[in-house]
Amino acid sequence: MLNIVLFGPPGAGKGTQSAFLVEEYKLIHLSTGDLLRGEIAEGTELGLKAKSLMDKGDLVPDSVVIGMIENKLTANQNAAGFIFDGFPRTIPQAEALDSLLNQHGESITAMLSLQVPEEELVKRLLLRGKDSGRSDDKDENIIHNRIREYNTKTAAVASYYDTQGKLVIINGVGTISQIASSIKNGIGQ
Ligand code: AP5
Ligand code: MG
């Protein structure tokens, strides 16, 4: 399997570049943000609980997202591989992912970390907020809180993969196809 973690702050382009990876490597895209928004749209109990945290730009509890990923891995055991987008976001999530993959004799191939300056992130998200319908894109304070959550709780996950020799830094500024081609080089296959 080819198992890629696509990493980076809010607005770095994880979702955009995942579309390219799905096409290029026939991988299954697992975005915990998309899965949570799906739960909210369906009005499930999990969605209701997650919504109040997501609307503020806070992370939802580890147990919630780990459970969702576990279900998806179990349901797609014959996949060519996965792109993890927006997961793992904490060290306990990264440890849980390693252990889930290990149970299937699999592991993470590489983490691609998209680097984009904060000013550019805010600009992209406010622009998208005009018509995305995402409640966490509308208000600059919420966007700043999402970036703060990334800096204080999530950024350390890159070191977790660096220690395993799996971290690849990608310049996330440029055209979408330039960045896609850097990602392809970073994956090296
Ligand atoms: P999530 O849905 O993961 O959102 P995010 O990380 O905040 O990131 P975005 O989806 O906003 O950005 P992206 O990097 O995917 O960029 P995109 O390609 O869209 O999480 C939302 C919330 O869910 C969290 O705040 C948290 O509450 C909860 N959550 C999710 N996962 C969790 C977890 N594991 N643990 C705990 N809580 C969790 O691009 C952004 C914009 O920029 C788009 O408009 C795009 O068109 C544009 N763009 C893309 N590339 C370029 C480019 N090269 N140049 C110019 N514009 C570009
Ligand atoms: Mg996204």
Side-chain angles (χ1 to χ4, degrees):
M1 274 190 179
L2 181 64
N3 293 311
I4 302 296
V5 174
L6 199 49
F7 191 72
K14 303 181 294 293
T16 305
Q17 295 298 331
S18 289
F20 150 78
L21 290 168
V22 163
E23 190 67 25
E24 180 78 18
Y25 300 101
K26 310 296 172 215
L27 304 178
I28 292 187
H29 179 214
L30 295 182
S31 155
T32 40
D34 288 351
L35 293 171
L36 289 165
R37 282 183 290 276
E39 296 280 341
I40 292 171
E42 285 173 27
T44 64
E45 197 181 325
L46 188 157
L48 276 176
K49 281 188 194 148
K51 185 173 176 4
S52 57
L53 292 164
M54 290 170 76
D55 282 352
K56 287 187 282 184
D58 291 346
L59 294 187
V60 307
D62 289 337
S63 57
V64 171
V65 286
I66 292 168
M68 291 193 313
I69 290 289
E70 183 172 13
N71 290 341
K72 291 290 176 188
L73 293 182
T74 310
N76 293 285
Q77 294 192 32
N78 296 321
F82 297 93
I83 308 158
F84 298 95
D85 160 0
F87 180 90
R89 258 173 151 101
T90 62
I91 301 289
Q93 289 180 28
E95 290 170 345
L97 180 58
D98 270 353
S99 125
L100 286 170
L101 289 170
N102 268 333
Q103 286 166 28
H104 298 281
E106 296 294 339
S107 59
I108 291 297
T109 313
M111 170 197 258
L112 288 303
S113 174
L114 295 167
Q115 312 277 304
V116 178
E118 181 158 341
E119 242 180 56
E120 170 73 10
L121 299 172
V122 176
K123 203 172 84 185
R124 287 183 188 179
L125 294 175
L126 284 173
L127 185 67
R128 185 179 64 183
K130 287 181 183 168
D131 53 23
S132 71
R134 267 183 64 165
S135 49
D136 59 350
D137 278 349
K138 292 207 173 75
D139 180 323
E140 197 164 337
N141 290 323
I142 296 169
I143 291 175
H144 281 293
N145 187 44
R146 287 162 64 193
I147 296 172
R148 193 157 48 237
E149 287 279 90
Y150 173 83
N151 288 331
T152 56
K153 298 177 184 167
T154 303
V157 175
S159 313
Y160 177 89
Y161 288 97
D162 195 19
T163 312
Q164 297 185 7
K166 293 177 178 173
L167 173 65
V168 183
I169 303 284
I170 303 284
N171 176 10
V173 181
T175 66
I176 289 166
S177 64
Q178 277 168 347
I179 298 162
S181 124
S182 310
I183 290 177
K184 200 172 171 213
N185 287 338
I187 294 174
Q189 34 179 298

